[in-house]
Amino acid sequence: MRILAAMSGGVDSAVAAARAVDAGHDVVGVHLALSRAGGTLRAGSRGCCTIEDAMDARRAADRLGIPFYVWDFSERFRDDVIDDFISEYRAGRTPNPCMRCNEKIKFAALLERALELGFDAVCTGHYAALVDGPHGRELHRASDAAKDQSYVLGVLTAEQLAHTYFPLGDTPSKALVRAEAEARGLTVAHKPDSHDICFIPDGDTRGWLAEKVGAEQGPIVDRAGAVVGSHEGAHAYTVGQRRGLQLGTPAPDGKPRFVLEVRPVSNTVVVGSKEALATAEISGSRYTWAGRAPEPGEFACHVQIRAHADPVPARASWVDGTLSVVPDVPFDGVAPGQTAVLYDGTRVIGQFTIDRTVSAVPVPA
């Protein structure tokens, strides 16, 4: 096949490209430039897609003997990832920018251009498995559960999966990938993994949002509506947060309070007990299927609501354009804007953005 290898400058994408070459494919490397302004993307081990990373990717491509290009996707990244991140926080939701980047950039904008140029598939260093099932290509968890990235890939559609290549999916551990990179003479063999939000240079998400969204003082209330404190900007709070609340009124039982809800229209933050974080139901209407869609109605599944959360057995209901999920055991601290990924064993069924949550603990009268 003609393979376009997305090379981030890290060890995983470099080894994935190397394996694609070893498999006999015609491979071209590409690095995505996601910002035109220096200093607006994170550097070193805490970021990705910087000038430093582009240089690491080029060195890896040279070592593999494949052509290499840098493509400017900064406008798409700004529109589809950064602006989406800001608008979601304005609406009181908690978005996942890495998932949006996979959905809108790596497997939409990049894949579209790759297909236009005659490539058969895009290759990345994600840890996930592709299986040709009875109804087409399926997305499954990786062999290495600790590195599995099927959750952040749950946004991929059947059409996108048909043109995707994940050479690392059956690798037992990340240590083996690093050892392979060292054996191949790749200088990124021991480069630290990237983490955190790449487009917030200093890692101060709260300060960055205050600048973009604006900080306006508002009330912090308990579940009964009584004011127990104030805040300098609701955007700085997320469901499940305990620290930094600075409440003026202690809880009657003396126990810590947690953020239960953010209401952007009234600029209000709602707090309550840890027990009140229990969520009995989630639902949303923005969904995709990673392969053949299930029949409308109810079906059993497992649901994962964070990248590193354990999957929870549940009953899902797909009716009238809305997906609802009731877990066997309540979720802990779910926020609108998060992504719920549905699984059948190791196979990803699909995903949806959580728009509504239902507490498992009734509001006090």
Side-chain angles (χ1 to χ4, degrees), residues 278-358:
T279 303
E281 183 178 348
I282 57 176
S283 63
S285 57
R286 293 175 290 171
Y287 55 81
T288 58
W289 305 113
R292 184 186 185 189
E295 293 295 326
E298 290 193 1
F299 56 92
C301 62
H302 279 71
V303 180
Q304 188 170 329
I305 57 171
R306 297 181 183 88
H308 303 293
D310 292 329
V312 175
R315 294 290 303 178
S317 175
W318 182 30
V319 179
D320 296 332
T322 297
L323 260 172
S324 299
V325 172
V326 176
D328 290 1
V329 178
F331 298 117
D332 183 24
V334 182
Q338 286 180 229
T339 301
V341 177
L342 313 184
Y343 290 83
D344 177 10
T346 63
R347 180 176 69 87
V348 174
I349 302 172
Q351 62 81 35
F352 68 93
T353 301
I354 299 169
D355 295 326
R356 187 179 70 94
T357 65
V358 177

Side-chain angles (χ1 to χ4, degrees), residues 26-98:
D26 178 10
V27 181
V28 173
V30 64
H31 179 82
L32 304 184
L34 301 182
S35 174
R36 294 181 180 178
T40 58
L41 291 178
R42 312 241 5 211
S45 65
R46 298 179 65 81
C48 66
C49 316
T50 63
I51 294 175
E52 172 190 335
D53 294 313
M55 294 172 63
D56 286 339
R58 180 176 294 279
R59 282 190 286 266
D62 289 344
R63 180 68 181 178
L64 300 177
I66 61 175
F68 178 80
Y69 300 92
V70 176
W71 287 356
D72 182 359
F73 274 33
S74 56
E75 288 190 16
R76 286 289 298 264
F77 186 76
R78 182 198 62 208
D79 295 343
D80 294 336
V81 180
I82 299 178
D83 288 352
D84 174 79
F85 185 81
I86 295 170
S87 65
E88 286 290 278
Y89 265 100
R90 280 199 178 114
R93 295 189 287 264
T94 303
N96 185 324
C98 294

Side-chain angles (χ1 to χ4, degrees), residues 73-359:
F73 274 33
S74 56
E75 288 190 16
R76 286 289 298 264
F77 186 76
R78 182 198 62 208
D79 295 343
D80 294 336
V81 180
I82 299 178
D83 288 352
D84 174 79
F85 185 81
I86 295 170
S87 65
E88 286 290 278
Y89 265 100
R90 280 199 178 114
R93 295 189 287 264
T94 303
N96 185 324
C98 294
M99 189 161 274
R100 291 289 81 78
C101 186
N102 282 335
E103 177 187 18
K104 301 293 187 178
I105 305 300
K106 294 175 184 174
F107 297 98
L110 178 61
L111 182 55
E112 287 168 8
R113 184 177 294 184
L115 295 177
E116 289 173 357
L117 293 174
F119 288 93
D120 299 302
V122 165
C123 166
T124 73
H126 286 99
Y127 288 79
L130 294 170
V131 175
D132 290 324
H135 303 292
R137 183 71 62 86
E138 298 175 350
L139 175 64
H140 285 252
R141 292 190 182 277
S143 297
D144 182 2
K147 292 296 296 180
D148 173 57
Q149 293 176 294
S150 61
Y151 173 84
V152 295
L153 296 169
V155 292
L156 301 189
T157 65
E159 183 178 356
Q160 291 168 334
L161 290 173
H163 298 285
T164 300
Y165 185 39
F166 298 138
L168 305 187
D170 60 355
T171 306
S173 74
K174 177 67 175 272
L176 292 176
V177 171
R178 291 195 181 280
E180 180 178 335
E182 186 169 28
R184 291 178 180 274
L186 297 170
T187 58
V188 293
H190 300 289
K191 184 177 181 178
D193 290 341
S194 62
H195 54 94
D196 291 341
I197 301 173
C198 69
F199 53 82
I200 300 180
D202 59 3
D204 180 12
T205 302
R206 185 170 183 167
W208 188 88
L209 282 169
E211 179 183 339
K212 301 295 183 182
V213 177
E216 181 181 352
Q217 190 176 64
I220 300 177
V221 304
D222 63 19
R223 299 185 82 199
V227 177
V228 295
S230 64
H231 64 77
E232 298 297 327
H235 63 271
Y237 297 85
T238 58
V239 172
Q241 179 178 336
R242 173 187 171 185
R243 299 184 182 278
L245 299 184
Q246 299 178 335
L247 302 178
T249 304
D253 59 7
K255 293 182 179 180
R257 287 190 176 104
F258 297 77
V259 175
L260 304 180
E261 187 181 353
V262 177
R263 298 172 179 170
V265 174
S266 60
N267 194 31
T268 301
V269 175
V270 182
V271 297
S273 67
K274 181 174 178 57
E275 290 73 22
L277 286 170
T279 303
E281 183 178 348
I282 57 176
S283 63
S285 57
R286 293 175 290 171
Y287 55 81
T288 58
W289 305 113
R292 184 186 185 189
E295 293 295 326
E298 290 193 1
F299 56 92
C301 62
H302 279 71
V303 180
Q304 188 170 329
I305 57 171
R306 297 181 183 88
H308 303 293
D310 292 329
V312 175
R315 294 290 303 178
S317 175
W318 182 30
V319 179
D320 296 332
T322 297
L323 260 172
S324 299
V325 172
V326 176
D328 290 1
V329 178
F331 298 117
D332 183 24
V334 182
Q338 286 180 229
T339 301
V341 177
L342 313 184
Y343 290 83
D344 177 10
T346 63
R347 180 176 69 87
V348 174
I349 302 172
Q351 62 81 35
F352 68 93
T353 301
I354 299 169
D355 295 326
R356 187 179 70 94
T357 65
V358 177
S359 176

